[in-house]
Amino acid sequence: DIISPIWTNPTKRERKENYSVDGYYKDVLQTGRASTPNHPRMPRPRPFYSHQLQSPQLKALYEKERMWNTKKSGYVPTQEDVKTTYGNIIDEEEKKQKLEILKISVANAQPLTEEEENQKSEWEKEGFPNWSKTDFRKFISASGKYGRNSIQAITLDLAPKTYDEVREYAKSFWAYIERVEDYEKHLKYIETEEEKIKRVKQQQEALRRKISQYANPFIDLKLNHPPSTNNKRTFSEEEDRFILILLFKYGLDRDDVYELIRDEIRSCPLFELDFFFQSRTPVELARRASTLLQCLEKEFNDGLVLEDVKDRLKQEDESGKRMREEMEVEEQQAKEEQQIKAVEPTTDME
Amino acid sequence: GPIATESSVPTLTNGNWTPNMPLLSSDYKTHHSIISRLKNPNMKAVPYAGTIMKLMSFINKFSLYFAKELLNLSFQDFEIGLDLYPEDSLGISSINTEGSAHRTTLYQDFVPIKDIVSAQDKMNLLFLTLLKLTFSTSKSNELQKTHHPHATMNQLHSSKKIFAHLMKQLRAHAKDWGYPKEWKFETLDVEAFLKPKSQIFENDELEDPVDPKNGSILTKNLYTWHQQEIVPLESDPLYISELDRNGILALEPHDRVILFRSLLDWCSAQSPQIRNEIYHLSHFKRDPSFGIQTQHAPRYMVEGASITLAQFRKLCSMVQTKYEIRSKKKHVKKQIESGKRADLVKKFDFLKEIKAEMKKTPKEEKDQVMIALYDKWCGLFEGELQDNPLSDPFEDELYKLRQQEFFIGRVPQIGDFYLPRLHAYDSSPIASTYRDLRSLQELLRKFSDGTVDAFTLFENHGQEMSSQFKVIYHDTPSVVRDTVHGKYTANKNYWFEMCCDTVTLKEFLDFLEYKITPGDTVKVQDHNALNGQMSLDDNPEKELNGADSTTLPPHESDKENEKPSPDTNSNSLINKHPLPKEARFNAARTKLEYLKKFLTDMLPVLQTFETLKEQYSDMKPGKRLLRRAQTRSINYNASYDS
């Protein structure tokens, strides 16, 4: 293990750290305000962001280090430091208690052992210290918008990060989600957003099946669960049918679908003199469409996931095929029996 | 009366007893109209008729926002003001009556210049009113109760730059509000337009899910879609700078129609006041008994007058039965004896009066008398029914928004007919024909026996109404079929003019006679439903009284299915063939009868309005003028013999 003398360690990964430039140089250069003696202060806790997915034990090491540094500089903690360490505490008794604890921790502080030092540098290599809070927020909202596993799409919203970076982060995120502060909240958000995507897919499927039931949907289409009767009906059933047919034509995933529908209504000769229908804005058409789609949902596989629907359709097709085959076989047999009977009309007489 | 038992109480709620009836698309589900059936020299394509009727209907329904000068517009005023001409080309070769190949006469050749200018001014006033309505900043949720025009002629004439500011706002919003189809260019066919333009990622999401516990990949790829492109700025009619000075007249005639149509759409979707009115008109606590239907029209236009009266009589006898059963019930008798039910007592009295009256009348007059007792019947209906077949179809606001006030008849296998005239919803001046059937019939009688003449109209604000008219035919079967198959294009025409004054109206009535009279030996071959092809054997026409002077042999065939026939070189200008004899055309014949009857009754009315225009064109009836007009006997020798 001879290390070449010209070997220098590779540079450490650059880290974004939120520090104030002034604060940093104040200790180093002793600039400005030399007239007023510098109030010694307890070092602040190292910033630690849970979304960067580093080991929570790293935080403990940092804290240990801090206590030791405080002790080294001979500083006695004050009420002010309780605030920075434990946050605001209203109760006076508790404040005092906490201050005591802090003083004791400083008094008992020890430097990090060699093992701990190694651990620290080990753990610091893990995680994603270059993911800022903003990056994280974008990641959560994109995961909801496109679904958690659509990394290509999520990357789109997280430029300039690369696909691999995002993928790497997402994998860790889902593996160590419990490390993230308030993770229940983020998870709930992503799940409800994903639910919406799934719903649109289901609605699209329900719409496809509904429309395919009719040779002339514009005249014959009828909802099995029409909109509730307690709300005032303002659209005619014919107008409703027209909306559904156009929704199917353009598809639910186009974001300009309701503008397109509005334009179609205006150019359709059947509604030329229909002020009500022609005066509907895209927002109003969207509202009506969502009511109608909910009615369709009731009709088809309410609450079933799309994959299940596909499976079920496959099963239905197969069982249908089987039944047909069985029927054919039976028919064949019946025919044969008939022929046999016809040939020997009196075999059973014995 | 019928013998009543306790068990047979008729229910009134299930039926449709409204004075209006829905017009359903499904009526025409399997019908194929054949345009050439209606071929006659007065039939002309008017592709812009839909837009003009839309504007007229809008003025009718929201008349409180429009200046007085706009409330007596006729269909012709739009044509003259916007410089629009019906097209003779019907896709059927026809020789222009003047012998020339195409239109040579323009409005300025035969309409007084003052009338043209006046019509143009009115178009601009209408344009200005719609703009102002669209951009009005009124936040008030008050419904308009009084006549309050949004723009006046004075404003139009007093300012040179009156449109500039409004046009600027319009240009800023029009793209969001949706450009008309004609001002976008379609680079693609529909199929291609519906397919994604491109996908953002080269491949769909391929790798394993990052969360193995929830493995579904919801967005495998993202797509971009084709957008409809708006015409480039230099050829965008909305950006023609003359609009700021000359209003709607700055555009080419066909673009004027497009802009008017779009402005109407934008106005009804954006104007705070109009939105308010539409909300109000579509959110009543009750629905018509036939539910919310796309459109409806007065019952007597849909079913014909005689059936409407019969419906009323049927309803009367049902109500009568109902009350007779009630009057025999024990608890009802008790209530009445104790004086608790004054309302019922009143109704039973009505019933007694009606029955007494009916006993007196001889059998052949019973029907008439039953109708004559209308007011007493209404007393009986109170609390039982909202309205009845004979009530005024235009009175109840419930029907206003979806009412087709110009509708005058629906003929199976052929289509719908319209007679656009204004003033449908105002406190009716003496001359308005928008009323309930009984008083309409009364009014038509007065016109035909001369009780009401042009002078009477002049005295009674007749000038506030449309003085000219057109009968418009709508090829509804084709509209329905094209809508069902999603095949409608901007350049397909469904509107045709059948006549444009009382002279041509008479010709049209004669023409209808041909269609109604069953043919002698008409043989109908199998006709191919797909292309609506139809061919008839040429038969010597039965000579009819009052027939058109043309004696050319008739010939009916569609342009695209031209069949070689012995006389292809001599095309008749009028298709004298009756409708095919088959039973399925019986309904059409009946409906054509109704249409003919109504238009025959309307003829004197329309004639009187024409006379009013000729003789009193723009005289304002003031008190002094009226006195003078009475003493100065105007010599009527206009001999109209129908």
Side-chain angles (χ1 to χ4, degrees):
Chain A
D1 292 4
I2 297 166
I3 300 170
S4 149
I6 53 169
W7 163 260
T8 50
N9 270 326
T11 50
K12 258 199 169 161
R13 193 193 314 212
E14 283 276 293
R15 297 238 175 77
K16 240 197 213 153
E17 287 209 346
N18 296 344
Y19 55 73
S20 101
V21 181
D22 292 353
Y24 177 74
Y25 287 108
K26 206 164 57 193
D27 305 338
V28 180
L29 296 174
Q30 299 269 315
T31 53
R33 283 199 306 261
S35 54
T36 51
N38 225 339
H39 286 290
R41 224 190 275 148
M42 190 170 177
R44 292 181 163 275
R46 269 277 197 102
F48 185 89
Y49 299 113
S50 66
H51 72 261
Q52 296 177 338
L53 303 172
Q54 291 180 304
S55 167
Q57 283 144 301
L58 185 58
K59 196 174 178 178
L61 286 184
Y62 284 154
E63 201 56 4
K64 188 175 175 187
E65 212 176 6
R66 183 166 79 106
M67 295 304 158
W68 171 243
N69 287 342
T70 315
K71 188 177 176 179
K72 255 197 331 200
S73 62
Y75 175 85
V76 181
T78 64
Q79 206 44 273
E80 194 58 28
D81 302 313
V82 173
K83 206 166 145 184
T84 52
T85 311
Y86 301 104
N88 265 332
I89 296 165
I90 315 271
D91 185 39
E92 285 301 319
E93 261 318 293
E94 205 182 341
K95 263 192 192 168
K96 282 185 186 143
Q97 272 178 5
K98 289 276 189 229
L99 186 55
E100 285 312 306
I101 291 170
L102 201 55
K103 282 178 174 165
I104 290 165
S105 341
V106 171
N108 298 340
Q110 293 294 324
L112 294 186
T113 63
E114 194 175 331
E115 203 177 326
E116 282 171 332
E117 283 287 359
N118 292 340
Q119 265 298 8
K120 190 176 98 171
S121 49
E122 218 32 58
W123 279 335
E124 280 179 338
K125 283 177 202 148
E126 285 175 7
F128 302 85
N130 60 340
W131 278 63
S132 68
K133 268 212 157 103
T134 318
D135 294 334
F136 175 67
R137 264 197 300 270
K138 282 184 185 160
F139 172 80
I140 296 291
S141 82
S143 295
K145 184 166 145 197
Y146 304 113
R148 64 186 71 175
N149 295 313
S150 314
I151 300 301
Q152 291 190 126
I154 294 171
T155 306
L156 207 63
D157 287 9
L158 274 160
K161 293 202 184 304
T162 64
Y163 173 81
D164 290 338
E165 275 181 277
V166 176
R167 193 172 176 81
E168 213 42 52
Y169 180 80
K171 266 188 118 93
S172 298
F173 176 81
W174 291 109
Y176 302 116
I177 188 162
E178 285 88 357
R179 288 185 181 182
V180 180
E181 215 174 304
D182 291 341
Y183 76 90
E184 299 93 337
K185 196 179 76 185
H186 300 307
L187 187 61
K188 184 125 197 70
Y189 170 81
I190 292 175
E191 279 170 352
T192 47
E193 290 299 295
E194 283 178 329
E195 223 28 68
K196 285 182 196 163
I197 307 175
K198 285 180 193 157
R199 233 182 120 183
V200 170
K201 285 186 194 280
Q202 277 183 37
Q203 288 175 335
Q204 182 80 49
E205 180 57 17
L207 187 59
R208 187 190 64 75
R209 294 179 68 188
K210 184 74 185 173
I211 300 268
S212 63
Q213 286 175 357
Y214 302 94
N216 263 339
F218 182 73
I219 301 273
D220 305 327
L221 189 143
K222 221 167 169 43
L223 292 171
N224 298 0
H225 305 277
S228 143
T229 43
N230 357 341
N231 326 345
K232 173 85 184 104
R233 182 182 253 291
T234 50
F235 288 82
S236 72
E237 282 178 37
E238 182 173 67
E239 289 161 351
D240 284 343
R241 287 195 292 270
F242 196 65
I243 292 174
L244 285 175
I245 288 163
L246 292 181
L247 268 180
F248 176 67
K249 175 177 169 181
Y250 289 111
L252 296 176
D253 40 10
R254 267 185 101 128
D255 43 17
D256 60 349
V257 63
Y258 295 107
E259 277 84 4
L260 289 164
I261 291 179
R262 173 200 62 196
D263 294 349
E264 282 257 16
I265 289 169
R266 287 180 185 168
S267 53
C268 177
L270 192 75
F271 300 109
E272 198 166 9
L273 300 173
D274 182 349
F275 288 116
F276 177 79
F277 207 23
Q278 303 228 351
S279 65
R280 296 304 90 190
T281 59
V283 176
E284 285 159 336
L285 291 169
R287 211 177 301 140
R288 184 62 186 172
S290 92
T291 305
L292 295 172
L293 287 168
Q294 278 168 28
C295 298
L296 273 185
E297 272 181 11
K298 273 188 211 140
E299 197 166 325
F300 294 93
N301 25 322
D302 196 8
L304 269 175
V305 188
L306 200 62
E307 267 66 28
D308 300 358
V309 177
K310 276 187 190 149
D311 288 350
R312 216 183 60 195
L313 284 176
K314 217 185 275 175
Q315 278 171 7
E316 280 174 11
D317 285 351
E318 274 170 14
S319 69
K321 208 164 129 187
R322 263 205 311 278
M323 271 175 68
R324 229 188 359 261
E325 282 166 1
E326 281 166 16
M327 279 165 67
E328 278 167 11
V329 169
E330 278 173 25
E331 261 178 59
Q332 197 57 39
Q333 284 173 343
K335 264 190 196 155
E336 281 165 13
E337 278 172 30
Q338 286 272 329
Q339 283 167 348
I340 293 166
K341 277 200 176 121
V343 177
E344 314 168 37
T346 53
T347 40
D348 301 335
M349 291 297 285
E350 298 159 31
Chain B
I3 302 153
T5 58
E6 290 248 341
S7 57
S8 64
V9 181
T11 46
L12 304 171
T13 44
N14 307 344
N16 167 19
W17 304 109
T18 58
N20 290 294
M21 287 185 79
L23 299 167
L24 304 172
S25 302
S26 50
D27 292 355
Y28 287 118
K29 202 164 130 182
T30 55
H31 295 191
H32 298 269
S33 60
I34 292 155
I35 296 285
S36 60
R37 253 186 213 139
L38 297 175
K39 195 176 89 173
N40 72 74
N42 296 324
M43 184 183 187
K44 293 169 183 153
V46 275
Y48 47 81
T51 299
I52 292 183
M53 299 220 303
K54 200 168 149 177
L55 286 161
M56 290 176 83
S57 184
F58 190 86
I59 296 172
N60 260 341
K61 292 188 204 302
F62 307 107
S63 60
L64 293 171
Y65 297 101
F66 293 93
K68 241 192 159 112
E69 294 94 333
L70 297 176
L71 300 183
N72 65 355
L73 283 166
S74 306
F75 193 94
Q76 279 84 342
D77 292 323
F78 286 86
E79 289 177 311
I80 294 168
L82 302 174
D83 209 27
L84 305 168
Y85 298 87
E87 297 159 26
D88 286 341
S89 60
L90 270 181
I92 304 165
S93 57
S94 64
I95 306 153
N96 193 311
T97 36
E98 278 139 59
S100 58
H102 209 63
R103 190 177 60 235
T104 48
T105 47
L106 302 172
Y107 291 125
Q108 46 270 45
D109 300 333
F110 63 95
V111 177
I113 205 75
K114 136 179 111 63
D115 290 359
I116 294 180
V117 171
S118 147
Q120 288 178 340
D121 279 350
K122 286 185 176 188
M123 288 304 109
N124 254 344
L125 181 56
L126 178 57
F127 184 58
L128 183 63
T129 310
L130 289 173
L131 280 170
K132 284 198 155 184
L133 260 177
T134 306
F135 295 107
S136 108
T137 49
S138 152
K139 291 276 177 289
S140 112
N141 271 344
E142 287 291 297
L143 287 177
Q144 187 84 39
K145 294 276 196 290
T146 55
H147 190 237
H148 171 69
H150 259 245
T152 62
M153 272 297 179
N154 279 344
Q155 290 171 325
L156 187 70
H157 291 312
S158 61
S159 162
K160 272 267 180 288
K161 277 280 198 179
I162 194 149
F163 295 108
H165 173 61
L166 291 159
M167 283 310 302
K168 192 175 152 194
Q169 285 176 282
L170 190 64
R171 285 168 187 138
H173 288 83
K175 289 191 177 62
D176 293 345
W177 292 347
Y179 251 50
K181 213 177 180 155
E182 295 89 340
W183 296 352
K184 290 178 180 166
F185 60 88
E186 315 239 337
T187 44
L188 298 160
D189 58 21
V190 177
E191 287 296 312
F193 183 82
L194 293 177
K195 291 204 175 77
K197 189 173 171 184
S198 63
Q199 46 186 58
I200 292 184
F201 312 119
E202 203 174 327
N203 299 311
D204 286 3
E205 188 78 42
L206 293 170
E207 292 189 58
D208 299 338
V210 288
D211 182 7
K213 291 194 282 295
N214 284 288
S216 59
I217 298 171
L218 295 180
T219 310
K220 293 196 166 68
N221 210 327
L222 290 168
Y223 304 95
T224 54
W225 302 95
H226 298 283
Q227 300 291 321
Q228 284 177 319
E229 303 290 336
I230 288 173
V231 290
L233 214 52
E234 58 270 18
S235 47
D236 185 340
L238 204 55
Y239 282 83
I240 288 176
S241 59
E242 283 82 19
L243 275 165
D244 298 9
R245 261 175 294 112
N246 307 338
I248 193 102
L249 303 173
L251 300 181
E252 292 291 312
H254 70 277
D255 279 331
R256 294 171 188 173
V257 177
I258 294 165
L259 180 54
F260 252 143
R261 195 191 62 219
S262 301
L263 183 54
L264 202 59
D265 292 339
W266 295 331
C267 182
S268 40
Q270 305 296 336
S271 160
Q273 279 111 325
I274 299 295
R275 282 186 65 76
N276 233 329
E277 299 271 355
I278 290 181
Y279 183 87
H280 164 74
L281 293 175
S282 57
H283 286 78
F284 291 104
K285 284 203 170 63
R286 57 202 169 97
D287 282 348
S289 56
F290 47 73
I292 302 288
Q293 301 290 351
T294 302
Q295 48 178 6
H296 43 71
R299 178 184 285 267
Y300 55 76
M301 295 295 189
V302 182
E303 283 194 317
S306 54
I307 294 189
T308 304
L309 293 169
Q311 284 281 15
F312 177 77
R313 287 193 292 267
K314 182 178 160 192
L315 176 64
C316 289
S317 61
M318 280 170 82
V319 172
Q320 181 175 344
T321 313
K322 195 171 174 164
Y323 277 110
E324 276 166 354
I325 294 168
R326 280 183 81 175
S327 67
K328 288 186 181 72
K329 290 211 162 149
K330 276 195 189 118
H331 73 274
V332 176
K333 281 181 180 163
K334 234 184 229 162
Q335 280 175 329
I336 288 175
E337 276 160 28
S338 59
K340 270 184 191 157
R341 297 290 303 270
D343 57 321
L344 268 185
V345 175
K346 209 165 88 185
K347 286 185 178 178
F348 291 146
D349 287 346
F350 277 132
L351 193 56
K352 274 183 206 131
E353 289 167 30
I354 289 170
K355 279 167 128 173
E357 196 68 43
M358 294 303 284
K359 265 209 182 83
K360 289 201 302 234
T361 41
K363 205 171 175 148
E364 54 275 14
E365 288 170 35
K366 271 204 193 310
D367 282 356
Q368 277 178 324
V369 173
M370 203 162 177
I371 306 287
L373 294 167
Y374 180 80
D375 291 345
K376 289 203 169 78
W377 284 115
C378 282
L380 269 188
F381 296 160
E382 210 160 302
E384 300 285 340
L385 291 156
Q386 289 288 4
D387 41 20
N388 68 69
L390 292 187
S391 39
D392 182 351
F394 303 95
E395 191 180 33
D396 192 338
E397 280 203 320
L398 179 67
Y399 300 108
K400 190 171 177 179
L401 187 60
R402 293 179 175 275
Q403 179 83 283
Q404 294 299 332
E405 55 264 48
F406 306 137
F407 178 93
I408 53 170
R410 167 161 283 198
V411 184
Q413 322 281 353
I414 290 183
D416 293 336
F417 290 85
Y418 293 87
L419 178 67
R421 293 172 77 237
L422 287 186
H423 254 294
Y425 296 98
D426 300 359
S427 47
S428 160
I430 185 172
S432 175
T433 51
Y434 294 106
R435 44 178 71 203
D436 68 276
L437 180 59
R438 287 164 56 248
S439 62
L440 175 64
Q441 290 181 326
E442 185 58 30
L443 182 78
L444 295 176
R445 249 197 306 279
K446 279 183 183 160
F447 271 94
S448 69
D449 66 17
T451 316
V452 175
D453 60 8
F455 180 69
T456 326
L457 282 186
F458 177 66
E459 279 180 308
N460 290 287
H461 313 285
Q463 287 156 312
E464 288 174 17
M465 309 208 36
S466 309
S467 54
Q468 291 168 283
F469 72 96
K470 280 192 176 187
V471 172
I472 308 279
Y473 157 66
H474 192 217
D475 180 6
T476 327
S478 297
V479 170
V480 172
R481 219 171 54 238
D482 289 350
T483 305
V484 165
H485 300 304
K487 290 181 192 143
Y488 35 89
T489 54
N491 50 21
K492 191 160 178 185
N493 175 47
Y494 304 99
W495 296 102
F496 299 89
E497 169 187 319
M498 290 320 236
C499 56
C500 58
D501 54 22
T502 46
V503 177
T504 47
L505 173 55
K506 281 186 203 140
E507 287 168 9
F508 179 57
L509 291 173
D510 292 342
F511 175 79
L512 285 180
E513 194 53 47
Y514 289 120
K515 302 291 138 189
I516 295 166
T517 313
D520 274 353
T521 49
V522 178
K523 191 176 86 195
V524 180
Q525 295 172 351
D526 251 5
H527 91 257
N528 182 343
L530 273 175
N531 53 14
Q533 181 184 327
M534 166 134 220
S535 64
L536 299 170
D537 280 5
D538 281 353
N539 276 305
E541 204 62 48
K542 200 171 68 172
E543 268 310 319
L544 286 157
N545 294 337
D548 197 271
S549 55
T550 45
T551 47
L552 290 166
H555 174 79
E556 166 165 336
S557 64
D558 275 349
K559 181 87 174 165
E560 61 262 36
N561 309 314
E562 200 74 62
K563 281 209 181 284
S565 82
D567 51 0
T568 34
N569 51 357
S570 58
N571 257 333
S572 162
L573 291 178
I574 180 165
N575 174 350
K576 295 184 182 175
H577 281 282
L579 290 178
K581 245 182 166 166
E582 294 158 74
R584 64 192 175 97
F585 284 91
N586 289 348
R589 272 182 282 269
T590 313
K591 287 291 174 88
L592 283 175
E593 285 275 16
Y594 295 152
L595 180 68
K596 184 163 178 275
K597 167 96 177 65
F598 174 72
L599 284 173
T600 309
D601 291 347
M602 276 296 281
L603 189 63
V605 179
L606 300 168
Q607 231 153 18
T608 315
F609 272 98
E610 277 181 5
T611 315
L612 174 74
K613 187 176 161 64
E614 280 164 35
Q615 293 179 338
Y616 299 89
S617 59
D618 281 333
M619 269 201 268
K620 294 276 176 294
K623 275 209 170 84
R624 284 183 54 198
L625 192 69
L626 277 175
R627 264 204 307 280
R628 244 183 308 149
Q630 274 160 337
T631 51
R632 187 184 58 181
S633 61
I634 292 169
N635 190 8
Y636 300 100
N637 54 9
S639 53
Y640 294 116
D641 35 63
S642 321

